[in-house]
């Protein structure tokens, strides 16, 4: 147990209350269950608040029901607000300044501003997270996210029609949103060793899709009462879960003085064991201080996986922003779907993503090869994308099947890299058991990926005006490049497997193979 860590973080009030009522300390497994539940609810609420803006857009700019970022590049001069634009909002009437000819462009700018601030904020959040009590840091992030999400909706009652108000609010919301991912991955990585981390985190990562679905349902249900409610209520929800997290989240076993019953959490590798994990090859000393930003980039495997995720999230987020639009504008069996039907159909991509995340995590655990698994999924995504583009229009059944398959291979490696891989590298053996690198490493990897997430939809805005086939060519190229960035790590893992198999020497004198 690290007494300094216990003093720095301490037991959450809720944990102390549970132990007081139980009159005994909570077990290690109980702490693990609490961690999974609390972090799952926390990041579900993060994604629910992130999703609400896509629902509100149709109310702010009803003239463009199929929102795209295409007109972001064709923005006309801003229209002057007229008296009628300041009247009370009614469903279908739009909301100035988003109800004019450049409304879609303005909404596109909000998306881009949010994503870039989110990506940049991720790097700083990871750096700060490894130097603070993650329970406090996450609470601040969730409360801040809730406040600025709600302030976006306050514009409805305050009758605000100034574009820069919504822009600043979205940018600040993106900044506070960036606190979430590196912190929750760091906490889960603290409590779960590498042996089953891929499968556990693959299942746990379903919070992303559940958050998207929850945000959509809540925002859609409240929209008829006024679009402000669609923002304020999710904002209040994440503040509530932030308080729950403050009361109950144990940051790490050491922080709560819990006996560590797992033998692979922060255990330094013995001499000669490095070959089992080809990524772990550094001889860094055992400094327990928080790892710096540059030092974290130097951890073997961080840069390749970060660049891989850049292109993987470019593909994934292009689908997130554009799939409903693409489906509604592509005839399936000779018929076009309504906007609502296209939106419902597009959720199957997320369903495939949940399956892909779990499958990728399980496979990588069984093979003990994260890079091989991630690269294989990205390469399989190439034919999946090709088939969906060229045969998805044949029938609804074919479209559904191909969309699910595409979701599996596109989101599988994305989920694996942002969860298990980030946790593995944040507990890298070169750190000699230093637990204070998880948030920084996770932030570097997902922050780099988030830049790709912002660029993908923007490039699609340019390319889709000419050809959707060109868009899919771009996505297939990005998937290929994503896999290629892992080539060196794949070769290292294959070499390690071959080396390991050669060390298993079967002899006629022993009943079983002996491992040297």
């Amino acid at each position: 147990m690290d007494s300094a860590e216990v003093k720095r973080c301490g037991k959450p009030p809720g944990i102390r209350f549970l132990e007081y009522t139980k009159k005994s300390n909570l077990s290690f497994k109980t702490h693990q269950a609490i961690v999974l539940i609390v972090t799952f609810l926390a990041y579900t609420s993060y994604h629910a608040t992130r999703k609400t803006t896509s629902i509100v857009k149709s109310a702010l700019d009803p003239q463009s029901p199929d929102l795209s970022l295409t007109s972001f590049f064709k923005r006309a001069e801003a229209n002057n607000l007229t008296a009628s634009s300041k009247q009370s909002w009614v469903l279908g009437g739009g909301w100035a300044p988003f109800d004019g000819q450049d409304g879609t462009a303005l909404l596109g700018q909000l998306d881009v501003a949010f994503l870039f601030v989110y990506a940049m904020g991720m790097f700083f959040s990871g750096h700060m997270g490894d130097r603070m009590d993650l329970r406090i840091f996450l609470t601040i992030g969730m409360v801040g996210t809730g406040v600025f999400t709600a302030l976006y909706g306050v514009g409805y009652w305050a009758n605000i029609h100034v574009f820069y108000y919504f822009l600043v609010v979205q940018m600040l919301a993106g900044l506070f949103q960036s606190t979430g991912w590196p912190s929750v991955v760091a906490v889960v990585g603290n409590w779960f060793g590498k042996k089953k981390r891929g499968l556990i985190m693959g299942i746990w990562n379903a919070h992303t899709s559940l958050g998207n679905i929850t945000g959509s349902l809540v925002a859609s249900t409240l929209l008829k009462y006024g679009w402000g409610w669609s923002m304020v209520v999710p904002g209040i929800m994440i503040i509530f879960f932030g308080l729950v997290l403050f009361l109950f989240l144990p940051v790490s076993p050491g922080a709560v003085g819990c006996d560590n019953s797992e033998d692979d959490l922060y255990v330094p590798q013995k001499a000669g064991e490095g070959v089992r994990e080809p990524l772990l090859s550094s001889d860094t000393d055992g400094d327990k201080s928080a790892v710096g930003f540059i030092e974290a980039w130097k951890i073997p495997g961080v840069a390749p996986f970060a660049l891989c995720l850049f292109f993987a999230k470019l593909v994934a987020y292009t689908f997130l922003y554009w799939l409903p639009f693409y489906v509604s504008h592509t005839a399936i069996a000779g018929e076009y779907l309504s906007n609502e039907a296209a939106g419902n159909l597009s959720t199957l991509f997320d369903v495939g993503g949940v399956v892909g995340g779990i499958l990728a995590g399980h496979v990588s655990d069984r093979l003990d090869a994260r890079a091989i698994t991630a690269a294989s999924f990205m390469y399989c995504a190439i034919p999946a994308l090709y088939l969906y583009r060229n045969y998805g229009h044949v029938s609804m059944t074919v479209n559904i099947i191909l969309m699910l398959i595409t979701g599996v291979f596109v989101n599988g490696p994305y989920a694996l890299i942002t969860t298990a891989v980030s946790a593995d590298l944040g507990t890298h053996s070169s750190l000699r058991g230093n637990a204070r690198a998880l948030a920084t490493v996770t932030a570097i990897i997902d922050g780099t990926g988030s830049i790709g997430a912002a660029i993908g939809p923007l490039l699609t805005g340019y390319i889709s005006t000419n050809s959707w086939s060109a868009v899919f060519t771009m996505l297939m190229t990005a998937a290929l490049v994503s896999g290629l960035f892992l080539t060196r790590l794949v070769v290292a893992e294959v070499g390690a497997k071959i080396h390991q198999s050669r060390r298993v020497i079967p002899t006629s004198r022993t009943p079983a193979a002996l491992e040297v």
Side-chain angles (χ1 to χ4, degrees):
M1 183 195 314
D2 188 342
S3 59
E5 186 178 13
V6 174
K7 182 178 180 180
R8 181 171 67 92
C9 299
K11 289 187 178 182
I15 297 295
R16 292 201 300 267
F17 176 76
L18 291 176
E19 291 182 340
Y20 174 79
T21 56
K22 187 181 177 182
K23 299 188 184 305
S24 64
N25 292 333
L26 299 181
S27 68
F28 186 83
K29 293 295 184 181
T30 301
H31 279 96
Q32 285 184 313
I34 292 173
V35 167
L36 285 180
I37 293 172
V38 172
T39 54
F40 186 93
L41 292 174
Y43 211 70
T44 296
S45 62
Y46 268 109
H47 255 270
T49 56
R50 193 179 306 174
K51 183 67 175 178
T52 53
T53 53
S54 66
I55 302 300
V56 170
K57 286 176 182 176
S58 61
L60 301 178
D61 183 20
Q63 297 178 17
S64 305
D66 290 313
L67 292 167
S68 70
L69 297 181
T70 304
S71 59
F72 172 79
F73 312 100
K74 302 178 180 179
R75 181 184 177 188
E77 292 184 0
N79 296 329
N80 292 327
L81 293 177
T82 62
S84 59
S85 68
K86 298 181 181 180
Q87 293 175 353
S88 297
W89 177 85
V90 293
L91 188 61
W95 187 268
F98 306 107
D99 59 348
Q101 293 181 350
D102 63 342
T104 304
L106 294 175
L107 290 170
Q109 290 187 41
L110 295 183
D111 288 338
V112 173
F114 176 90
L115 287 170
F116 272 108
V117 171
Y118 174 79
M120 294 300 102
M122 189 83 71
F123 296 113
F124 295 100
S125 294
H127 184 75
M128 293 177 62
D130 280 326
R131 288 158 175 77
M132 292 179 60
D133 181 346
L134 285 173
R135 179 170 62 91
I136 304 298
F137 188 61
L138 269 168
T139 301
I140 294 172
M142 295 177 73
V143 172
T145 298
V147 168
F148 287 103
T149 300
L151 283 176
Y152 191 107
V154 168
Y156 167 70
W157 290 283
N159 204 27
I160 296 175
H161 298 280
V162 179
F163 168 72
Y164 291 103
Y165 170 82
F166 297 101
L167 179 66
V168 171
V169 166
Q170 274 292 81
M171 292 175 68
L172 291 173
L175 181 62
F176 280 99
Q177 280 265 355
S178 68
T179 62
W181 189 243
S183 301
V184 295
V185 171
V187 173
V188 174
N190 286 340
W191 283 95
F192 293 90
K194 185 180 178 183
K195 184 176 181 181
K196 296 180 181 179
R197 184 181 283 160
L199 177 60
I200 291 172
M201 284 189 156
I203 298 173
W204 172 77
N205 193 61
H207 50 48
T208 298
S209 297
L210 182 61
N212 290 338
I213 294 171
T214 302
S216 297
L217 292 177
V218 172
S220 298
T221 301
L222 297 173
L223 192 59
K224 60 186 177 183
Y225 300 108
W227 63 264
W229 289 109
S230 298
M231 301 298 295
V232 170
V233 172
I236 294 174
M237 288 172 57
I238 192 173
I239 291 175
F240 170 77
F241 285 116
L243 296 177
V244 172
L245 180 142
F246 174 79
L247 292 174
F248 289 98
L249 181 66
V251 172
S252 68
V256 293
C258 183
D259 290 334
N260 190 341
S261 65
E262 294 210 12
D263 57 8
D264 59 343
L265 288 173
Y266 304 120
V267 179
Q269 297 289 317
K270 297 178 182 179
E273 289 188 356
V275 70
R276 295 177 59 189
E277 298 182 72
L279 299 181
L280 315 184
S281 57
S282 175
D283 57 359
T284 305
D285 61 24
D287 184 13
K288 301 300 181 182
S289 62
V291 175
F293 183 79
I294 302 301
E295 288 76 12
W297 268 105
K298 294 179 180 178
I299 296 174
V302 169
F305 273 112
L307 294 173
C308 171
L309 188 63
F310 176 96
F311 290 95
K313 288 191 75 169
L314 185 152
V315 178
Y317 269 66
T318 297
F319 268 83
L320 175 66
Y321 278 94
W322 284 92
L323 186 56
F325 180 88
Y326 172 75
V327 170
S328 66
H329 287 76
T330 303
I332 300 177
E335 297 182 0
Y336 289 90
L337 299 180
S338 65
N339 295 329
E340 181 180 358
N344 291 335
L345 179 61
S346 67
T347 60
L348 294 177
F349 180 79
D350 281 328
V351 174
V354 173
V355 176
I358 296 173
L359 182 62
H362 178 64
V363 170
S364 69
D365 281 344
R366 294 295 298 271
L367 297 179
D368 191 22
R370 308 291 197 211
I372 292 175
T373 303
S376 298
F377 269 67
M378 290 311 304
Y379 292 141
C380 288
I382 298 173
L385 289 164
Y386 176 83
L387 292 173
Y388 182 71
R389 168 57 183 165
N390 290 280
Y391 299 99
H393 66 279
V394 172
S395 69
M396 182 62 71
T397 301
V398 172
N399 190 287
I400 290 173
I401 293 174
L402 292 178
M403 186 183 295
L404 286 169
I405 293 174
T406 304
V408 169
F409 290 117
V410 169
N411 281 342
Y414 161 34
L416 177 65
I417 294 171
T418 55
T419 55
V421 169
S422 296
D424 288 350
L425 295 175
T427 56
H428 195 287
S429 67
S430 68
L431 299 172
R432 298 288 194 263
N434 188 352
R436 300 182 64 188
L438 266 169
T440 299
V441 169
T442 302
I444 287 174
I445 292 176
D446 200 46
T448 304
S450 295
I451 297 175
I455 292 175
L458 293 181
L459 291 178
T460 302
Y462 278 115
I463 301 172
S464 64
T465 56
N466 298 317
S467 170
W468 274 106
S469 294
V471 171
F472 276 82
T473 299
M474 176 193 74
L475 297 179
M476 288 186 285
T477 302
L480 174 63
V481 174
S482 179
L484 290 176
F485 269 113
L486 298 181
T487 299
R488 183 179 63 84
L489 303 183
V490 169
V491 172
E493 287 184 348
V494 171
K497 294 296 180 185
I498 294 175
H499 182 82
Q500 190 175 31
S501 65
R502 288 176 177 174
R503 298 181 69 186
V504 179
I505 307 174
T507 67
S508 58
R509 294 176 297 174
T510 56
L514 298 176
E515 183 175 359
V516 178

